[in-house]
């Protein structure tokens, strides 16, 4: 189960309370493996029960309440390495955009182009977000990464950063590919934006 791997990976940056796991998750690894908070909390409890995480009660507020701070156990670290050692399980394509595009002849007038424009807008937004993430990682100001780097010797940090950036370079390339694909679709539909003025002869 890959949510579990993402949580092990996140907690390898250091111990976090459940609330902070959810917070860090959505601003870091959640960009490559989305999961809602409603899945994160029960999974943390299962991982605790299975001994992959330890849970320490830490004070919360001023009224004697406590919250659980989760940390990787040695078994949790083994599980993280074991997961890295497993080959990826590729799944057959199930791509809603490609499926729909394959039958655009059924689209009411204007609808196919409108959907392709929405596709472009979605991936342009993702492209920008990804560029910002890459910048935050490279500058080492991303809070999750900054915590993580504190656990490494200076000479190891470069590689730790590079792998995170590498993951987002893949996401960036995909966003650009999706934008190019949808623009090609607009051309096929005869809806491509005309250049402002014709090329001078
Ligand atoms: C980390 C930080 C991971 C920022 C990220 O995505 C990220 C991390 C994979 O140090 O775990 O965007």
């Amino acid at each position: 189960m890959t949510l579990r791997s993402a949580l092990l990976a996140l907690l390898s940056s250091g111990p976090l309370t459940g609330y902070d796991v959810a917070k860090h998750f959505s601003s870091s690894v959640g960009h490559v493996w989305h999961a809602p908070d409603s899945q994160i909390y029960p999974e943390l409890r299962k991982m605790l029960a299975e001994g992959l995480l330890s849970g320490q009660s830490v004070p919360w507020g001023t009224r004697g309440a406590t919250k659980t701070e989760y940390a990787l156990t040695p078994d949790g670290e083994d599980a993280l390495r074991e997961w890295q050692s497993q080959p990826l399980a590729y799944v057959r394509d199930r791509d809603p955009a490609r499926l729909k595009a394959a039958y655009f002849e059924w689209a009411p007038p204007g609808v196919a182009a409108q959907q392709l424009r929405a596709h472009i807008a979605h991936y342009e937004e993702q492209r920008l977000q990804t560029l910002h993430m890459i910048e935050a990682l490279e500058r080492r100001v991303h809070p999750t990464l900054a915590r993580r780097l504190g656990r490494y010797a200076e000479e190891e940090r470069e590689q730790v950063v590079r792998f995170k950036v590498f993951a987002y370079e893949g996401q960036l390339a995909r966003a650009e590919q999706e934008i190019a694909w949808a623009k090609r679709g607009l051309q096929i539909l005869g809806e491509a934006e005309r250049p402002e003025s014709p090329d001078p002869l």
Side-chain angles (χ1 to χ4, degrees):
M1 191 207 225
T2 316
L3 172 56
R4 176 166 293 204
S5 309
L7 288 169
L8 290 169
L10 176 60
L11 280 159
S12 68
S13 69
L16 292 165
T17 64
Y19 174 79
D20 285 333
V21 167
K23 223 173 53 178
H24 277 267
F25 193 98
S26 66
S27 61
S28 65
V29 66
H31 290 284
V32 296
W33 193 268
H34 174 77
D37 292 1
S38 62
Q39 279 174 23
I40 290 174
Y41 294 113
E43 187 61 23
L44 288 172
R45 287 192 286 271
K46 273 196 250 168
M47 292 163 75
L48 179 64
E50 293 178 34
L52 298 172
L53 303 179
S54 61
Q56 199 188 318
S57 277
V58 298
W60 185 56
T62 52
R63 299 189 180 183
T66 60
K67 54 187 178 176
T68 304
E69 187 180 70
Y70 295 97
L72 283 192
T73 61
D75 279 359
E77 288 193 5
D78 287 347
L80 198 43
R81 285 188 206 95
E82 168 61 20
W83 162 64
Q84 281 287 329
S85 307
Q86 291 304 316
L88 281 181
Y90 290 96
V91 293
R92 307 288 297 268
D93 268 5
R94 283 192 156 190
D95 190 316
R98 250 59 83 185
L99 177 61
K100 196 170 277 192
Y103 302 98
F104 269 166
E105 67 270 27
W106 286 91
V111 159
Q114 193 264 318
Q115 294 200 358
L116 288 173
R117 285 195 198 96
H119 197 78
I120 292 168
H122 172 81
Y123 282 103
E124 274 176 349
E125 174 65 32
Q126 191 187 71
R127 179 176 175 278
L128 284 181
Q129 268 193 23
T130 306
L131 285 170
H132 287 136
M133 180 64 81
I134 289 174
E135 206 214 335
L137 291 167
E138 281 177 340
R139 292 171 55 221
R140 305 187 182 188
V141 295
H142 190 286
T144 313
L145 179 68
R147 285 180 99 230
R148 179 182 301 288
L149 292 179
R151 306 166 74 88
Y152 287 86
E154 179 52 41
E155 62 271 20
E156 299 171 301
R157 289 179 184 157
E158 182 77 43
Q159 217 31 359
V160 172
V161 174
R162 182 169 293 150
F163 290 140
K164 313 286 166 295
V165 170
F166 171 60
Y168 286 98
E169 284 170 350
Q171 191 176 62
L172 183 64
R174 192 182 53 198
E176 288 172 348
Q177 152 65 29
E178 289 297 334
I179 293 165
W181 173 76
K183 286 185 172 171
R184 166 92 186 115
L186 289 175
Q187 264 177 13
I188 290 168
L189 292 166
E191 297 272 349
E193 286 122 74
R194 295 273 122 233
E196 297 280 294
S197 53
D199 288 332
L201 293 175

